[in-house]
Amino acid sequence: MDISVVVPLYNEAESLPELTAWIKRVMDENGFTYEIIFVSDGSNDNSWEVIETLREENKAVRGVKFRRNYGKSPALHEGFKRAQGEVVITMDADLQDSPDEIPQLYKMIKIDGYDLVSGWKKKRYDPLSKTIPTKLFNATARRVTGIKLHDFNCGLKAYRLDVVKSIEVYGDMHRFMPYLAKIAGFTKIGEKVVHHQARKYGSTKFGLDRFVNGYLDLITLWFFNKFAAQPMHFFGLLGSLMFLIGFVAVIFVGAYKIYSMMNYMPYRLVTESPYFYIALTMMVLGTLLFLAGFIGELVVRNSSERNRYNIDKEI
Ligand code: UDP
Ligand code: MG
């Protein structure tokens, strides 16, 4: 099979027949063999009935129905699990992404050799309240991930099948598919300007909290990528350093008092010196950080992921 189209959807019943017909037209015109995997993410409109009807007309349509709403990432995850096409395309169900982009995306993967191609909604049809924070978000994501994409969270993306089978998307991590791919060792990541339309039916499923969550997830991923395999390298170093500075300072505070006593200079209780408390705090924090690192190492040692590597070839 050439192409799997994975479509996560939450209450998008009106859009589905139009989307399916459009995808079918593009596929037939280009002679692609394909499947469309609709993942209904706990929709409570009649999306599922619509998917069932569509399947009766066209066996290329497949469907998965979540019992409740889990989110876009879990929906993509289930779609990816079932995808069989050599190229996997994800798109939103709301007709904001155009199926006309599919042949070009397919070509970029199959012929130009990209692992992942992300859409770039250069001209967007969304309210300003969304486009401005999005710009900031993308700028941060570019810096942190080192991937030069303009539009990380574009729903329209194409993947080599290998990629979706090697990465695991969960939580809200769909915003960082390119980063997940990069962490898994797929570095040929490209971008294609795509057409974008205003939402035709229904309403957006994400509020402004998407940006807060996006930033938090970015920090998580970055930190995870850097230190998850060896937590001690971060916490241990920081903890040891803090403890050491605190320890030296405490000794100094004590030694200074003894020195003053022996030389008949005026002296105070050690506990009256602010430095004593600063040093104490540093020792306590240092110990805690060190412990966090150690516990982290214990967790890693027991993790089933500890020896999972993405192997490219073997002879
Ligand atoms: N979506 C989903 N589960 C959710 C929220 C959204 O499957 O919990 C789907 C939604 O139906 C759409 C896609 O994710 O197909 C993108 O959502 P939306 O168009 O609301 O996002 P926006 O275009 O506003 O970024
Ligand atoms: Mg949308």
Side-chain angles (χ1 to χ4, degrees):
M1 189 183 306
D2 296 324
I3 301 179
S4 293
V5 185
V6 174
V7 185
L9 62 110
Y10 178 50
N11 295 346
E12 311 277 6
E14 301 105 311
S15 311
L16 297 179
E18 210 169 312
L19 182 68
T20 309
W22 194 352
I23 294 175
K24 179 176 177 359
R25 197 181 73 226
V26 172
M27 297 294 185
D28 292 348
E29 276 168 10
N30 291 274
F32 290 134
T33 49
Y34 71 102
E35 63 182 353
I36 307 175
I37 306 176
F38 286 119
V39 186
S40 168
D41 181 14
S43 304
N44 41 33
D45 64 354
N46 65 338
S47 292
W48 183 250
E49 286 70 37
V50 174
I51 294 169
E52 282 178 331
T53 322
L54 289 169
R55 162 138 186 117
E56 268 158 34
E57 295 158 8
N58 183 353
K59 287 292 171 227
V61 173
R62 301 171 62 190
V64 179
K65 178 174 183 268
F66 281 167
R67 202 176 286 279
R68 54 161 264 232
N69 179 248
Y70 286 101
K72 189 173 173 183
S73 293
L76 284 173
H77 173 78
E78 288 304 316
F80 287 162
K81 227 159 83 181
R82 290 164 174 79
Q84 288 164 359
E86 288 170 38
V87 173
V88 178
I89 307 239
T90 58
M91 57 166 56
D92 291 352
D94 53 2
L95 294 166
Q96 288 196 275
D97 302 326
S98 157
D100 288 331
E101 308 284 354
I102 292 175
Q104 195 62 34
L105 289 171
Y106 178 83
K107 185 185 146 275
M108 286 177 81
I109 301 274
K110 288 300 285 185
I111 295 169
D112 305 341
Y114 283 100
D115 294 317
L116 187 163
V117 180
S118 179
W120 171 17
K121 296 163 286 186
K122 199 167 181 182
K123 174 123 189 53
R124 289 184 69 136
Y125 294 89
D126 281 319
L128 269 186
S129 62
K130 193 159 135 192
T131 51
I132 291 172
T134 298
K135 280 221 164 80
L136 283 172
F137 173 78
N138 280 313
T140 319
R142 270 197 297 279
R143 279 210 66 119
V144 175
T145 65
I147 306 171
K148 301 286 163 246
L149 289 181
H150 291 88
D151 190 0
F152 274 79
N153 191 18
C154 184
L156 182 55
K157 286 193 172 62
Y159 307 81
R160 183 183 300 288
L161 186 62
D162 255 4
V163 179
V164 304
K165 298 292 183 193
S166 323
I167 60 183
E168 194 159 337
V169 55
Y170 65 95
D172 267 337
M173 296 300 181
H174 60 268
R175 298 195 178 91
F176 303 106
M177 297 304 287
Y179 193 29
L180 292 176
K182 183 181 169 188
I183 291 173
F186 297 99
T187 45
K188 201 148 188 262
I189 296 172
E191 183 168 56
K192 177 183 184 313
V193 175
V194 295
H195 286 286
H196 186 239
Q197 300 173 359
R199 217 179 214 285
K200 199 160 170 189
Y201 308 104
S203 57
T204 179
K205 307 301 185 299
F206 297 101
L208 282 177
D209 58 347
R210 73 170 82 196
F211 297 109
V212 181
N213 295 338
Y215 274 106
L216 293 176
D217 287 344
L218 185 59
I219 295 170
T220 305
L221 275 184
W222 175 80
F223 198 74
F224 200 80
N225 180 31
K226 258 193 131 56
F227 297 111
Q230 48 280 108
M232 210 47 167
H233 290 192
F234 178 76
F235 293 105
L237 179 71
L238 213 65
S240 307
L241 261 175
M242 277 183 87
F243 185 86
L244 209 70
I245 296 172
F247 189 66
V248 169
V250 159
I251 300 242
F252 184 80
V253 171
Y256 184 71
K257 173 161 178 186
I258 293 171
Y259 172 83
S260 306
M261 283 166 77
M262 294 197 339
N263 289 283
Y264 308 104
M265 283 154 54
Y267 60 84
R268 297 179 304 178
L269 282 175
V270 166
T271 48
E272 279 170 22
S273 160
Y275 297 111
F276 174 71
Y277 292 101
I278 297 174
L280 205 65
T281 311
M282 287 193 77
M283 283 172 69
V284 172
L285 285 182
T287 312
L288 287 180
L289 280 172
F290 194 88
L291 262 177
F294 187 66
I295 291 173
E297 289 290 340
L298 288 181
V299 173
V300 171
R301 181 192 278 248
N302 282 299
S303 148
S304 58
E305 308 265 293
R306 71 186 176 278
N307 260 336
R308 219 180 69 177
Y309 310 109
N310 193 1
I311 292 170
D312 187 12
K313 290 194 178 95
E314 189 176 325
I315 48 172

